[in-house]
Structure formats: structure tokens, C-alpha cells
Amino acid sequence: MHTNNAPREDAPTPHADFARLRRLNARAVRDSVTLTGRMTPADLRRPTPCSAWTLADLLAHMTAQHNGFAAAALGHGQELSHWSVGPLGADPVAQYRDAAEHVIAAFATVESPDRAFVLPEITRARTFPAARAIGFHLIDYVVHGWDVARTLDLAYAPGSELLRAALPIARAVPDGDSRLAPGSAFRPGLSVANDTGTLEQILAALGRSPDWRTPVFHDHHPGPERGAAGPDTTC
């Protein structure tokens, strides 16, 4: 029999919640790996939903973020070299896959949701508990998965459990004029109808237009042609 003050035996514990967060983050990351595995070398010049970024730029950013968050999980996040965006190698898909598995493995070593992460790209003034830091990473890769899928005109349907976990994280990201500053990760949030799907709510909360479509692109053209794309966003 349970008293009002006693936790239910089947209630999730903080550690169980943290394990679930890491599992869902790994799912989001591996979804992005599957999507990048569908690209061709010519696709690297495609425009993306990220303002002024080609797919090559986006992939380099995503790779660097995996490396930076892995370093933070392993206690080296203060070293800016781990966060630097380097040139893509001869096999950028394999390079990205290796970085993705590296961050998943690094997060698996973190046993406590309160473990301090240093995330200098956000602030050097404080650290973040592991659960919050991994939440940052999860929402990034739910959205970056959509970025890649939209760029390549591929379907993108993360599982409902992942989307339910991602939505409150997206809504918790501070909105307002700060998102208009140079280097901001997101544009101001967009309004959506009440019956909008969960993924679309996540995208809109972070300033991405769910209606964005790939501009006209020809792989023989020296650069992408700007076509009937929706509003760009920063990344």
C-alpha cells in the first residue's frame, strides 16, 4: 500500500529518466546518421534550412558538435579545440558516423544526471548538469535530422516517444530578441495551429518553418539556385 508521501514503486527514478534520455538521444543521433548515409558527394552543395549553409557546412557543424559534447562528457569540454569546425575529410559520411558513435559512447560513461558539463559555446560562466546538456544535444539532433531530411527531400518521422521528449526541451529554449543576435542558434519562435503535429511544434518553437522546401538545385550547376524556399533559419 502506498502512502501519499511515498513514491510509487513503478514511478521512474532520476537515474531511470536519465537512462531514457541517453537512449532517446542515441536514437536521434543514429536517425541523423541514417539520413546522411543517403547523401551523395554532389549533395554537399545543396542549400539547407540553415541560413547561408550548404549541406557540407551543416555536416561539418554537426560533426564538430558531436566531438564537443563528447569532450564535455569526458571532462574536457573547456578545451575549445574539441568544438572547432574542421574541413570534411575524403569520406564525410564515415567521418560523421564516427563522431556520432563517439558522442553516444561518451554519454554512456556519464552515470549521474548531475555530472557537470562545460559547454563553452553556450557560456563559460557556469556548468550544466549532464541531463540538461544531453537534452540540448537531443533537441539539436532531432532538428538537425529534419534539416538533413529536408535538404535531401527525404521523409523524416522520429518516433513518438522521441518527439514527446523533445517538445518540452524545445519550448524551454529562451525566445525573444536574443535569437536575432549574430550567431544565435535559432530564430524567434513561429506561431502554429493548435492541432499541429509534435514535430512541427518543435520546429516552430525553434524558429524553423515546417513548410521549408529545398530550393531549385542542379548538380551540374556551380552553386545552388535560390528557388521557392521558405524562410531560412540559423543553426
Side-chain angles (χ1 to χ4, degrees):
M1 181 176 179
H2 299 290
T3 68
N4 289 337
N5 295 324
R8 291 179 46 178
E9 292 180 4
D10 59 351
T13 66
H15 285 279
D17 285 341
F18 186 52
R20 175 175 174 269
L21 178 67
R22 289 183 299 179
R23 173 175 58 81
L24 292 175
N25 178 77
R27 183 183 302 173
V29 170
R30 289 185 172 128
D31 283 350
S32 73
V33 170
T34 298
L35 289 163
T36 59
R38 300 277 302 276
M39 56 176 271
T40 68
D43 290 328
L44 289 170
R45 294 187 294 106
R46 284 180 175 267
T48 72
C50 303
S51 181
W53 279 9
T54 64
L55 184 55
D57 298 322
L58 176 59
L59 192 60
H61 164 79
M62 293 166 65
T63 301
Q65 288 292 297
H66 285 327
N67 291 332
F69 273 89
L74 298 172
H76 309 298
Q78 71 278 6
E79 298 174 21
L80 289 177
S81 60
H82 293 299
W83 300 87
S84 62
V85 178
L88 295 175
D91 189 343
V93 173
Q95 183 181 355
Y96 179 71
R97 181 178 62 244
D98 289 347
E101 290 301 325
H102 178 45
V103 76
I104 290 170
F107 284 169
T109 70
V110 181
E111 297 182 353
S112 169
D114 297 320
R115 162 89 172 276
F117 275 44
V118 179
L119 304 176
E121 290 198 333
I122 298 176
T123 181
R124 288 178 168 274
R126 52 167 293 196
T127 61
F128 296 87
R132 189 174 183 198
I134 295 175
F136 293 159
H137 191 263
L138 180 149
I139 194 62
D140 268 357
Y141 285 87
V142 168
V143 175
H144 283 327
W146 178 84
D147 292 332
V148 174
R150 269 289 186 264
T151 299
L152 297 174
D153 292 323
L154 297 174
Y156 182 57
S160 59
E161 184 185 15
L162 176 55
L163 292 177
R164 286 195 304 269
L167 181 58
I169 299 173
R171 286 176 169 167
V173 176
D175 202 349
D177 291 344
S178 63
R179 292 200 190 178
L180 297 172
S184 173
F186 307 110
R187 287 188 187 270
L190 306 175
S191 297
V192 291
N194 291 334
D195 59 350
T196 301
T198 307
L199 176 59
E200 289 73 18
Q201 292 180 54
I202 291 168
L203 297 170
L206 299 176
R208 279 166 166 76
S209 170
D211 297 326
W212 192 92
R213 293 294 183 272
T214 306
V216 176
F217 177 83
H218 302 294
D219 61 11
H220 64 272
H221 195 276
E225 294 181 4
R226 297 293 171 177
D232 281 348
T233 180
T234 49
C235 284

